[in-house]
Amino acid sequence: GQNIDQPTEMTATEGAIVQINCTYQTSGFNGLFWYQQHAGEAPTFLSYNVLDGLEEKGRFSSFLSRSKGYSYLLLKELQMKDSASYLCAVWSRNGQNFVFGPGTRLSVLP
Amino acid sequence: DVKVTQSSRYLVKRTGEKVFLECVQDMDHENMFWYRQDPGLGLRLIYFSYDVKMKEKGDIPEGYSVSREKKERFSLILESASTNQTSMYLCASSLEGATNEKLFFGSGTQLSVL
């Protein structure tokens, strides 16, 4: 089967660092994606990992371990505008489509 | 930037009605997808298409059909709407053959079936 797991909700303080974890079990793997979705808006692409290791892009970083079926999204210097849902998705070549996790709703408090 | 446009932001229909959700993308993408998004369940794939007149079932195709007569347009059809089809519907497109085939999403259609 195919399954992606993420925490449902997280809360953090403005200026802090938060790590959102994602574990996956999929038939086939061709990359892991993180998307950000503000309430009432479309998801937008944040990051992509296909090899093990850390990808850094400004305040956001994403890590992948294929052997462990594990990824995390790291958000530094949190801002109020980072309050959103963060979606983990795996591109599964065997299934020829993306499998999405349930999303993690992050609330950034002042 | 890629633009994916969904024809309606909000839609209210009655049980048994035939419903058309339209999606148009302007970047000549080969791949187009229809998802529904429900709280706690994430995005679930209904149908996708990799080429004109081509369609493939996703994870939850029951009660839905699709049409792709032109490359830029992908339509989702609810043949006879039911209350359990009340949901947010998201259309997406991606470029075939890209090293990271990220999805570009439309703004979504919130469908309520009464």
Side-chain angles (χ1 to χ4, degrees):
Chain A
Q2 309 209 88
N3 186 59
I4 297 183
D5 206 20
Q6 306 176 233
T8 305
E9 293 191 33
M10 297 183 72
T11 303
T13 306
E14 195 174 14
I17 299 172
V18 72
Q19 178 175 311
I20 302 174
N21 295 325
C22 170
T23 57
Y24 65 90
Q25 290 176 302
T26 58
S27 53
F29 178 87
N30 205 48
L32 187 140
F33 295 74
W34 284 95
Y35 290 84
Q36 181 189 58
Q37 186 179 24
H38 286 100
E41 297 182 12
T44 55
F45 170 78
L46 279 180
S47 70
Y48 167 72
N49 295 70
V50 67
L51 300 176
D52 290 351
L54 189 68
E55 294 282 341
E56 296 187 78
K57 193 186 291 185
R59 294 189 299 114
F60 293 3
S61 303
S62 56
F63 171 83
L64 175 67
S65 168
R66 288 172 296 170
S67 62
K68 295 181 179 177
Y70 168 70
S71 173
Y72 68 72
L73 180 70
L74 193 71
L75 291 76
K76 303 176 185 175
E77 301 170 16
L78 279 172
Q79 301 175 9
M80 300 297 288
K81 66 179 182 179
D82 297 329
S83 292
S85 288
Y86 292 86
L87 314 179
C88 174
V90 171
W91 175 250
S92 168
R93 268 296 180 188
N94 289 10
Q96 292 191 329
N97 69 68
F98 287 88
V99 181
F100 280 85
T104 298
R105 187 163 62 192
L106 173 67
S107 299
V108 180
L109 305 178
Chain B
D1 275 352
V2 175
K3 190 163 185 182
V4 181
T5 304
Q6 294 184 229
S7 53
S8 304
R9 186 72 181 90
Y10 299 96
L11 213 51
V12 179
K13 296 292 182 181
R14 296 211 173 270
T15 302
E17 280 192 79
K18 190 169 186 176
V19 182
F20 292 87
L21 302 183
E22 305 285 349
C23 175
V24 177
Q25 51 93 3
D26 65 0
M27 282 299 289
D28 205 34
H29 281 178
E30 289 84 5
N31 306 334
M32 296 190 75
F33 306 80
W34 274 107
Y35 290 89
R36 62 178 283 177
Q37 186 175 31
D38 301 287
L41 296 178
L43 273 74
R44 292 180 291 166
L45 182 65
I46 305 171
Y47 268 96
F48 60 100
S49 169
Y50 288 126
D51 203 350
V52 176
K53 295 191 185 296
M54 175 273 181
K55 59 185 178 183
E56 292 284 345
K57 292 180 180 179
D59 299 318
I60 51 164
E62 295 78 20
Y64 303 94
S65 62
V66 290
S67 171
R68 194 165 181 200
E69 295 297 316
K70 294 184 178 182
K71 191 175 185 180
E72 66 270 20
R73 186 180 298 269
F74 192 36
S75 302
L76 180 69
I77 303 153
L78 287 67
E79 296 290 341
S80 177
S82 63
T83 54
N84 63 11
Q85 292 179 309
T86 291
S87 186
M88 170 66 82
Y89 289 88
L90 288 165
C91 175
S93 71
S94 71
L95 185 63
E96 177 66 20
T99 52
N100 61 334
E101 296 179 38
K102 62 185 179 184
L103 293 171
F104 295 86
F105 285 90
S107 296
T109 297
Q110 179 62 54
L111 173 67
S112 297
V113 182
L114 306 178

